[in-house]
Amino acid sequence: MATGETGFDDVSFDLISVQYHSLKAGHDYGQYVRDARNAGENEIAEFFEQVMAEDSERARRCHEFLNQIRQTSKAGPAVR
C-alpha cells in the first residue's frame, strides 16, 4: 500500500476523508432540518433527517473499517 506524504496509506486517507465529509455534512444538515421545520416543510425536514442518518451511518462504517485495517500490516504508521 502506498503511503503519501501524510504518513497515511491511500485507503486510510480515503476512509478518513469520507468520514470527515460525512460528519461535516451531518452537522450542516441539522441546520437544513431546522430551516425546513421553520418553513413548515415537514416532508423536506424528514428528507434531510434521512440524509443525515445515512451520513452518520457512513461515518460509523468508516470508523469500523479504520479500526479493522489498523490491526493489520496494511495500516500506515499514522493509523497504528
Side-chain angles (χ1 to χ4, degrees):
M1 236 180 232
T3 301
E5 293 176 12
T6 63
F8 287 84
D9 64 90
D10 292 341
V11 173
S12 295
F13 181 88
D14 296 345
L15 285 166
I16 291 167
S17 180
V18 169
Q19 184 180 42
Y20 168 80
H21 290 289
S22 295
L23 292 169
K24 173 71 172 106
H27 179 267
D28 295 342
Y29 296 147
Q31 182 61 51
Y32 303 166
V33 170
R34 287 187 294 279
D35 291 346
R37 293 252 184 252
N38 289 339
E41 298 289 350
N42 290 329
E43 186 176 7
I44 295 171
E46 290 171 7
F47 166 74
F48 288 137
E49 287 171 336
Q50 176 186 347
V51 172
M52 187 168 36
E54 291 167 359
D55 268 333
S56 178
E57 175 62 15
R58 193 170 294 113
R60 186 192 66 74
R61 297 261 340 261
C62 287
H63 188 74
E64 287 178 356
F65 286 130
L66 285 164
N67 282 334
Q68 180 180 325
I69 64 172
R70 181 175 26 164
Q71 298 171 10
T72 70
S73 61
K74 295 178 184 178
V79 179
R80 287 191 195 141

